[in-house]
Amino acid sequence: MSRPRIVIVGAGFAGYRTARTLSRLTRHQADITLLNPTDYFLYLPLLPQVAAGILEPRRVSVSLSGTLPHVRLVLGEADGIDLDGHTVHYSGPEGEEGTLPFDRLVLAAGSVNKLLPVPGVAEHAHGFRGLPEALYLRDHVTRQVELAAAAKDRAECAARCTFVVVGAGYTGTEVAAHGAMYTDAQVRRHPMRTGMRPRWMLLDVAPRVLPEMDERLSRTAGRVLRQRGVDVRMGTSVKEATHDGVLLTDGSTVDTRTLVWCVGVRPDPLVESLGLPLERGRLLVDSHLRVPGRPEVFACGDVAAVPDLNQPGQYTPMTAQHAWRHGKVCAQNVAASLGVGRRRAYRHRDMGFVVDLGGAKAAANPLGLPMSGPGAGAVTRGYHLAAMPGNRVRVAADWLLDAVLPRQAVQLGLVRSWSVPLESASPEVARVPGRPERARRAGTGTGERDAVDPGAERAGEERSEEQPPGGHSRDRPSGEPAKNQPGGEPARNQPGGEPAKNQPHAEPREEQPHGSRSGSTRASGTPRRAAETAGPPARGTRKPRKTSGTSGATRSANPAAPSGPTRSADGPADPGPEPPADQPPPGPDIAPGPVKRTDGRAAEGDS
């Protein structure tokens, strides 16, 4: 008799704990497969310390294969589940597709950034749910302080060194607290010419900071923030966001280049495609974390609405503490369904909460005992070390080094603004050129696809953090793409939008013309990948299409436009329009484009 097959979707707090506990309970009598887009478990509570330069990214990333030796790891994202066929369809990191059959299914896909219908937020704000977003924020804040220090104009300096965080919950409070310490340390070593200091703002519609905690702890956190110069504004939020600033609900305007969105999370949209009963986007389960009517399907963590037996009629909140405990109970009940052990109902006891405010400051109430000051800081860090499933020695070493050595305030530029859009169904994975976008399978076993995630719809509109609204870099002619940006954009000196030679993904396949979207349906059961360009194209550009019967020849995407000269191997290409005289040189993170000549001939090295 074959061994039962268990598939776990997601390796967050709930999924990781389920896999680890199941591996111990089943004693190699079941095939356990863990489907996750990354090969690590991310310890989210310490993510603000990564953005502040205290911890290195790998310190909060626990290897899945290294800590789950008897669990098969499959890299990919679930884009459809056929409950009747007992299969999970997934897409791999390089565009490959696969299917995982299961006898027991555990849904622990976690959560994504929560969006609100605020104009401009999706275009100009960034969330804080994964390592790519933390690395981007660290680079961005460092760059803004450096640019502000070099600016001669006081208005520009003030805008660049103003940082707005929306959401005064756990994440937003810690980001503002650590961010203020990080920028103050930068300015102490390299004072600004204008004599200004960085300014952090924390906004929330709630009446106080950390509204879900005890009021005494809330007052402690608010006092620490204000002592560090953080402008805490309760009962206030963002009404509109632009590239140059935000309009607040109290009518005031704040000039800023940084907007961090920490208003909360929502369940992963994967569960919406199952056609099962939901409770505010979460999958309804019983007290044993089993989906009613589907005895082979379990759910835990942020995607599951688990009844709170201590408060009838309520559901457990979406916190890491509950997700971690869900995982253990879920694993025990899955094993019980296979004849190992007995079922357990999920019942929790509040162990308290801890909030790290940076340095020796923290707010904590372990076992209901409110604490503040250095004592709370020691309890908070001790709790994190005990809760982490790995890397404890490395984390403690980084804390020790941070206490005796200055932080390295450098920007690596590895994560660009367009790589971490707020509207993303996969905040744990940075968007990179050439990686197909995540798409969801709609329905159950129908084979039809839902539209791609909202972030894919804006792929052509994303800009770097230095671009104003409209999609064009400053001082650059309208509609002209950035020079030599990665992702297969047309080069400046190529007429008709012709792609550069030897550039990947520049030529479309003949059987698939550009412009097709992945929102169309498919009759077969195989998922169809969303068509994505190799990078964020600039507005106003069109992809070339092959003319029938002519190999390698291109034409303008606009049939009404006059046909321009084409590049050939026998002669140089038209150098194209000259840039304006006052155009500044490219920034340090943009490779310079080809050299322009004014005599109509191609520059040396321009093939």
Side-chain angles (χ1 to χ4, degrees):
M1 182 177 179
S2 61
R3 298 191 299 179
R5 299 162 299 184
I6 305 173
V7 174
I8 304 172
V9 179
F13 279 88
Y16 181 87
R17 186 79 182 276
T18 301
R20 192 172 73 170
T21 307
L22 265 175
S23 176
R24 176 177 54 84
L25 293 176
T26 57
R27 299 180 183 275
H28 317 302
Q29 299 302 312
D31 292 330
I32 305 174
T33 301
L34 182 60
L35 178 64
N36 198 58
T38 63
D39 65 347
Y40 59 83
F41 159 74
L42 177 64
Y43 191 74
L44 270 171
L46 293 181
L47 201 58
Q49 298 191 23
V50 174
I54 300 175
L55 297 177
E56 290 302 314
R58 286 183 294 178
R59 304 296 185 259
V60 299
S61 310
V62 179
S63 171
L64 296 179
S65 57
T67 56
L68 302 174
H70 303 297
V71 176
R72 176 193 173 205
L73 173 63
V74 175
L75 291 179
E77 299 177 75
D79 54 20
I81 298 175
D82 185 350
L83 296 178
D84 296 328
H86 285 206
T87 54
V88 176
H89 304 271
Y90 71 92
S91 302
E94 297 182 353
E96 69 276 13
E97 297 178 348
T99 302
L100 298 174
F102 65 84
D103 299 307
R104 297 292 186 273
L105 174 65
V106 178
L107 296 174
S111 55
V112 298
N113 292 311
K114 181 180 180 180
L115 300 179
L116 298 178
V118 179
V121 165
E123 293 80 12
H124 304 288
H126 291 280
F128 202 81
R129 291 289 301 165
L131 270 181
E133 293 171 320
L135 293 177
Y136 165 74
L137 181 62
R138 178 176 172 178
D139 275 1
H140 176 76
V141 170
T142 304
R143 176 166 53 253
Q144 295 307 310
V145 173
E146 292 171 349
L147 292 175
K152 298 180 180 179
D153 181 56
R154 290 185 62 86
E156 179 185 357
C157 178
R160 291 194 179 278
C161 62
T162 298
F163 308 95
V164 179
V165 181
V166 185
Y170 296 103
T171 302
T173 300
E174 290 186 344
V175 168
H178 283 282
M181 291 186 64
Y182 179 60
T183 53
D184 285 347
Q186 283 185 268
V187 174
R188 279 196 298 268
R189 290 194 298 269
H190 304 286
M192 298 184 181
R193 296 180 182 178
T194 57
M196 303 184 67
R197 290 188 57 190
R199 173 193 182 194
W200 284 79
M201 296 183 64
L202 181 61
L203 313 176
D204 202 308
V205 294
R208 57 187 174 90
V209 176
L210 299 173
E212 53 277 301
M213 293 189 69
D214 182 86
E215 188 172 353
R216 287 173 292 183
L217 299 179
S218 176
R219 288 197 301 267
T220 297
R223 182 174 64 252
V224 171
L225 291 173
R226 291 182 175 91
Q227 288 174 351
R228 292 183 183 162
V230 179
D231 185 0
V232 180
R233 298 192 185 185
M234 296 292 98
T236 307
S237 188
V238 174
K239 185 177 181 179
E240 182 181 359
T242 65
H243 173 75
D244 298 320
V246 292
L247 174 63
L248 305 184
T249 53
D250 60 6
S252 60
T253 301
V254 178
D255 294 334
T256 181
R257 301 289 191 273
T258 308
L259 180 60
V260 186
W261 194 253
C262 302
V263 298
V265 295
R266 61 186 177 94
D268 192 290
L270 173 66
V271 298
E272 298 176 359
S273 65
L274 301 179
L276 298 175
L278 302 176
E279 168 63 29
R280 295 185 178 181
R282 292 196 285 174
L283 199 60
L284 276 173
V285 297
D286 58 22
S287 59
H288 298 93
L289 283 75
R290 176 175 287 183
V291 176
R294 294 284 181 177
E296 75 283 2
V297 180
F298 297 78
C300 54
D302 290 349
V303 298
V306 182
D308 190 343
L309 299 182
N310 295 329
Q311 302 181 36
Q314 302 293 325
Y315 298 94
T316 58
M318 299 168 62
T319 63
Q321 185 178 130
H322 280 288
W324 187 251
R325 297 176 183 178
H326 286 177
K328 181 179 179 180
V329 175
C330 183
Q332 292 172 338
N333 291 335
V334 171
S337 70
L338 299 175
V340 179
R342 296 185 304 172
R343 292 198 310 167
R344 282 186 54 194
Y346 179 74
R347 188 183 298 272
H348 72 93
R349 179 188 173 208
D350 190 1
M351 303 295 291
F353 295 93
V354 294
V355 179
D356 188 358
L357 300 176
K361 301 297 181 64
N365 61 342
L367 301 176
L369 177 64
M371 298 180 64
S372 60
V379 169
T380 298
R381 295 201 168 184
Y383 169 80
H384 287 316
L385 285 180
M388 288 193 67
N391 297 345
R392 296 187 181 96
V393 175
R394 290 184 171 92
V395 170
D398 274 5
W399 283 341
L400 178 61
L401 292 176
D402 180 69
V404 298
L405 296 176
R407 299 180 195 175
Q408 294 177 300
V410 294
Q411 47 165 323
L412 301 179
L414 300 179
V415 181
R416 302 298 299 275
S417 175
W418 58 267
S419 300
V420 284
L422 184 62
E423 292 181 278
S424 174
S426 306
E428 68 274 12
V429 180
R431 179 173 296 169
V432 296
R435 184 178 70 86
E437 285 303 323
R438 181 183 190 178
R440 294 293 192 193
R441 179 184 293 270
T444 306
T446 62
E448 295 186 349
R449 302 281 276 195
D450 197 359
V452 297
D453 70 87
E457 298 294 337
R458 328 178 15 248
E461 299 181 6
E462 293 165 344
R463 305 176 296 276
S464 69
E465 59 274 10
E466 296 302 323
Q467 289 179 325
H472 312 298
S473 297
R474 294 175 179 170
D475 300 323
R476 184 175 289 144
S478 175
E480 190 174 11
K483 294 190 285 185
N484 289 356
Q485 285 278 24
E489 290 93 329
R492 287 176 59 102
N493 60 340
Q494 291 175 339
E498 184 176 350
K501 290 186 176 181
N502 302 327
Q503 215 165 4
H505 308 293
E507 283 290 334
R509 294 183 298 178
E510 292 189 74
E511 66 273 13
Q512 184 178 355
H514 284 285
S516 62
R517 303 294 299 176
S518 61
S520 60
T521 59
R522 196 177 188 179
S524 66
T526 304
R528 176 169 145 188
R529 295 297 301 164
E532 185 202 46
T533 58
R539 286 186 180 179
T541 61
R542 286 176 176 261
K543 294 288 184 181
R545 294 180 297 175
K546 284 189 177 182
T547 55
S548 58
T550 307
S551 174
T554 60
R555 65 182 179 182
S556 171
N558 183 7
S563 59
T566 58
R567 177 184 292 271
S568 65
D570 298 329
D574 182 6
E578 288 292 325
D582 59 346
Q583 179 174 341
D589 56 349
I590 301 177
V595 178
K596 300 291 183 180
R597 297 181 65 99
T598 58
D599 54 4
R601 293 181 297 168
E604 183 180 356
D606 183 21
S607 58

